[in-house]
């Protein structure tokens, strides 16, 4: 190739390159440091409730206080809004007129898992078990024969709420869903993959020892209830007003000889929630009021009063606008948002579900997803060319490694994020997040470089 065509190529072609070739050792070190905090967050925040608690704890250390309508806030003040312990929003008041708009980042802190049914506890063949109802899109067969931990709350009639977390400590017992041995699975293996394990077969083994040496039925169940009663003061009826979730008991860890990757449960979407959170915690005196919202219920359609389809975000923007003085609809009209959610990174083993030119790759940086949806972009917000240009400029100006992505080949599948609900408010929004392998599996994989670039994108957007 001649020097002239080489130069012209450099000038005209879209230049895609692995992020590791585009940053120096110092940045790689920063990725490593940043991801140590991220891995700790993953271990402490396995459910939306735990994520809210961890996030609030980190925020309070940085001077965030619960929003109080009786107080008057001004530029630089840091407040948060806790919605039922399952969704939380952090705001740093800007120096400009609030009517110039908010800079909002939105991620979700719920992940696919197995919820206990309202009447979960039973005994069969002198084994104690829990019935579950899966939450979010899972491949059910992946949830058998792995150690599980139990997280959540019992809410009692007297108003007390009891936290439960069993299976995270090294010395804690774990739980397990058993699968059929291959020797006897000749019929089971003929099932389709989606039916390999059926919903009603996701039964968790929780004990096997009968209560003392009494005679009678259901003594294993009795023994388990007696243990729970001693530990939490609950009876079988208290399961009716509980939210208990089975999640993988694994800890987050490095993956690969080079330690360039992270493996963990719940990276969709904590891999974006942690960057959005740490970014807003690092923001000081922004021009526009910065808001980071970590939402619940994305995995089941953002419905309910802790999901982003609710008016919660609208109300807190209203509270802030009213407090510092301004018109809410003007402020909203001028607002912009990064919907911080993951993209499906291309897996060498399953390349044919992607269209190479528009798929995201690990280590190519934070992913901009202009639209999601399925079958002809149905149900997506599709960011405007103008807004994409604005975000390109922001990322390039700050040396952030980024790429674009699509959610698989046309008509293969698709998906959605919270972007559409924020777009419905009249706000400019685009999906920006980290590419993930094995998304929605009990153990998902990401690259450290992409995680750090996601943080940098969130920070530069809100600062
Ligand atoms: Mn997600
Ligand atoms: Mn998801």
């Amino acid at each position: 190739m001649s020097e002239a065509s080489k130069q012209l190529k450099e000038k005209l072609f879209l230049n895609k390159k692995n992020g590791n070739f585009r940053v120096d050792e110092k940045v790689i070190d920063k990725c490593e440091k940043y991801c140590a905090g991220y891995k700790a967050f993953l271990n402490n925040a396995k459910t939306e409730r735990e994520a809210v608690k961890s996030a609030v704890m980190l925020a309070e250390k940085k001077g965030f206080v619960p929003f109080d309508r009786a107080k008057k806030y001004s530029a630089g003040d840091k407040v948060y809004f806790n919605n039922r312990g399952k969704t939380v929003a952090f705001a740093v008041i800007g120096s400009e007129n609030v009517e110039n708009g908010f800079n909002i980042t939105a991620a979700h802190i719920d992940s696919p898992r197995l919820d206990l049914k309202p009447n979960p506890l039973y005994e069969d063949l002198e084994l104690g078990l829990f019935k579950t109802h899966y939450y979010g899109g899972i491949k059910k067969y992946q949830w058998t024969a792995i150690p599980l931990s139990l997280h959540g709350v019992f809410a009692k009639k007297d108003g007390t709420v009891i936290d439960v977390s069993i299976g995270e400590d090294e010395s804690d017992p774990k739980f397990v869903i058993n699968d059929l041995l291959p020797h006897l699975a000749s019929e089971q293996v003929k099932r389709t993959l989606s039916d390999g394990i059926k919903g009603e077969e996701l039964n968790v083994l929780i004990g096997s020892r009968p209560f003392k040496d009494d005679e009678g039925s259901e003594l294993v169940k009795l023994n388990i209830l007696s243990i729970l009663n001693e530990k939490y003061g609950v009876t079988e009826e208290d399961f009716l007003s509980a939210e208990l979730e089975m999640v993988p008991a694994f800890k987050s860890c490095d993956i690969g000889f080079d330690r360039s990757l992270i493996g963990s449960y719940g990276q969709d979407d904590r891999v974006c929630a942690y960057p959005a959170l740490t970014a807003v915690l690092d923001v000081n005196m922004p021009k526009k009021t910065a808001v980071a919202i970590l939402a619940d219920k994305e995995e089941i359609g953002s419905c309910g009063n802790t999901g982003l389809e609710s008016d919660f975000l609208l109300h807190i923007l209203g509270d802030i606008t009213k407090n510092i003085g301004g018109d809410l609809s003007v402020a909203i009209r001028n607002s912009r948002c990064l919907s911080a959610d993951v993209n499906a990174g291309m897996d060498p083993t399953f390349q044919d579900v992607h269209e190479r030119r528009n798929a995201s790759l690990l280590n190519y940086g934070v992913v901009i997803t202009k639209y999601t949806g399925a079958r002809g972009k149905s149900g997506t917000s599709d960011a405007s060319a103008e807004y994409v240009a604005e975000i390109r400029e922001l990322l390039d100006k700050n040396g952030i490694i980024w790429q674009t992505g699509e959610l698989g080949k046309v008509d293969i599948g698709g998906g959605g994020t919270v972007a559409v609900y924020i777009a419905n408010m009249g706000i400019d929004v685009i999906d920006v997040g980290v590419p993930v392998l094995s998304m929605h599996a009990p153990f998902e994989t990401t690259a450290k470089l992409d995680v750090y670039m996601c943080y940098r994108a969130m920070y530069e957007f809100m600062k």
Side-chain angles (χ1 to χ4, degrees):
M1 195 184 294
S2 75
E3 194 52 37
S5 60
K6 205 173 147 192
Q7 272 177 17
L8 197 60
K9 211 175 152 187
E10 227 156 76
K11 187 177 157 203
L12 298 181
F13 277 22
L14 172 64
N15 185 13
K16 270 191 164 186
K17 216 172 170 189
N18 188 306
N20 288 290
F21 295 126
R22 301 171 60 187
V23 298
D24 58 25
E25 267 312 304
K26 274 210 312 243
V27 175
I28 300 290
D29 279 353
K30 280 185 184 163
C31 295
E32 191 61 40
K33 265 208 192 102
Y34 182 75
C35 287
Y38 170 50
K39 283 182 284 178
F41 180 76
L42 284 168
N43 293 341
N44 293 330
K46 289 205 164 175
T47 65
E48 59 284 346
R49 285 177 190 266
E50 291 174 1
V52 167
K53 272 191 187 157
S54 294
V56 164
M57 214 170 71
L58 293 171
E60 285 184 340
K61 275 188 207 154
K62 294 267 191 151
F64 283 76
V65 293
F67 179 82
D68 179 354
R69 286 174 60 213
K71 293 218 170 83
K72 186 91 186 119
Y73 295 103
S74 55
D77 283 346
K78 299 175 174 195
V79 295
Y80 70 87
F81 301 78
N82 186 337
N83 180 7
R84 297 168 170 83
K86 295 197 253 184
T87 288
V88 64
F90 301 94
V92 184
I93 308 299
S95 56
E96 280 182 9
N97 186 332
V98 71
E99 290 182 358
N100 292 352
F102 295 92
N103 282 333
I104 303 162
T105 57
H108 67 92
I109 47 176
D110 61 318
S111 295
R113 60 176 193 250
L114 308 173
D115 288 347
L116 297 200
K117 291 191 184 194
N119 276 308
L121 180 58
Y122 70 105
E123 174 177 338
D124 201 354
L125 302 178
E126 291 165 72
L127 296 173
L129 296 128
F130 274 152
K131 293 296 295 180
T132 65
H133 194 142
Y134 67 95
Y135 172 99
I138 62 165
K139 290 161 102 175
K140 300 181 213 49
Y141 70 89
Q142 293 178 333
W143 292 71
T144 62
I146 58 168
L148 299 171
S149 58
L150 180 67
H151 296 246
V153 295
F154 283 105
K156 306 225 327 182
K157 283 198 287 185
D158 65 4
T160 52
V161 176
I162 302 150
D163 284 314
V164 176
S165 171
I166 308 171
E168 292 304 327
D169 201 82
E170 247 349 272
S171 63
D172 276 0
K174 319 278 190 268
F175 310 96
V176 69
I177 295 167
N178 288 289
D179 197 357
L180 196 52
L181 62 166
H183 318 62
L184 297 180
S186 59
E187 288 303 316
Q188 185 200 27
V189 295
K190 288 183 203 149
R191 295 183 190 174
T192 59
L193 197 57
S194 67
D195 264 345
I197 291 288
K198 296 176 186 171
E200 292 294 353
E201 293 171 343
L202 291 169
N203 303 319
V204 189
L205 182 62
I206 55 166
S208 71
R209 188 166 290 153
F211 186 72
K212 294 189 181 132
D213 47 14
D214 283 11
E215 295 274 325
S217 62
E218 297 198 293
L219 289 177
V220 174
K221 174 175 164 179
L222 180 64
N223 194 42
I224 289 165
L225 275 174
S226 142
I227 292 168
L228 289 173
N229 184 264
E230 200 171 296
K231 190 159 179 186
Y232 301 112
V234 295
T235 65
E236 188 174 15
E237 201 179 322
D238 290 316
F239 279 101
L240 297 174
S241 54
E243 281 177 12
L244 294 165
E245 310 171 2
M246 283 285 174
V247 300
F250 318 133
K251 300 279 179 219
S252 61
C253 64
D254 289 345
I255 297 282
F257 290 115
D258 57 10
R259 296 181 168 262
S260 59
L261 307 152
I262 296 172
S264 174
Y265 164 69
Q267 297 207 70
D268 173 11
D269 183 33
R270 285 172 201 120
V271 75
C272 300
Y274 184 73
L277 168 68
T278 46
V280 79
L281 301 195
D282 287 345
V283 166
N284 286 305
M285 234 9 128
K287 282 196 185 123
K288 294 186 180 182
T289 296
V291 176
I293 180 160
L294 310 182
D296 180 29
K297 296 286 182 283
E298 193 278 341
E299 294 296 355
I300 57 169
S302 293
C303 40
N305 60 8
T306 53
L308 267 181
E309 203 185 344
S310 78
D311 289 339
F312 174 66
L313 178 60
L314 181 69
H315 290 160
I316 65 159
L317 298 181
D319 284 347
I320 296 171
T321 307
K322 200 170 171 191
N323 188 284
I324 53 184
D327 186 281
L328 178 62
S329 38
V330 177
I332 284 182
R333 202 172 304 141
N334 290 323
S335 293
R336 49 181 205 157
C337 175
L338 296 184
S339 161
D341 209 344
V342 296
N343 191 284
M346 199 147 64
D347 185 321
T349 311
F350 303 106
Q351 297 185 38
D352 49 340
V353 297
H354 296 278
E355 186 268 293
R356 289 188 83 94
R357 278 172 199 82
N358 288 285
S360 65
L361 293 167
L362 264 65
N363 284 310
Y364 276 65
V366 66
V367 189
I368 304 294
T369 309
K370 187 175 181 293
Y371 52 84
T372 56
R375 288 165 297 282
K377 295 189 175 181
S378 190
T380 184
S381 76
D382 207 347
S384 73
E386 291 85 346
Y387 189 47
V388 180
E390 191 180 320
I391 299 304
R392 278 176 59 199
E393 168 62 11
L394 174 89
L395 298 173
D396 285 340
K397 190 175 70 190
N398 291 292
I400 295 164
I401 311 290
W402 65 280
Q403 58 182 325
T404 56
E406 218 185 11
L407 212 62
K409 270 183 183 162
V410 176
D411 290 341
I412 280 275
T417 64
V418 300
V420 64
Y421 306 109
I422 292 165
N424 285 347
M425 295 167 73
I427 294 174
D428 269 318
V429 58
I430 188 165
D431 282 303
V432 174
V434 174
V436 178
L437 301 183
S438 296
M439 192 196 295
H440 284 205
F443 195 73
E444 305 169 305
T445 305
T446 56
K448 289 177 181 174
L449 181 130
D450 302 329
V451 181
Y452 179 61
M453 290 301 157
C454 185
Y455 159 78
R456 293 219 41 224
M458 298 297 140
Y459 176 72
E460 294 299 338
F461 181 79
M462 289 189 288
K463 78 150 197 238

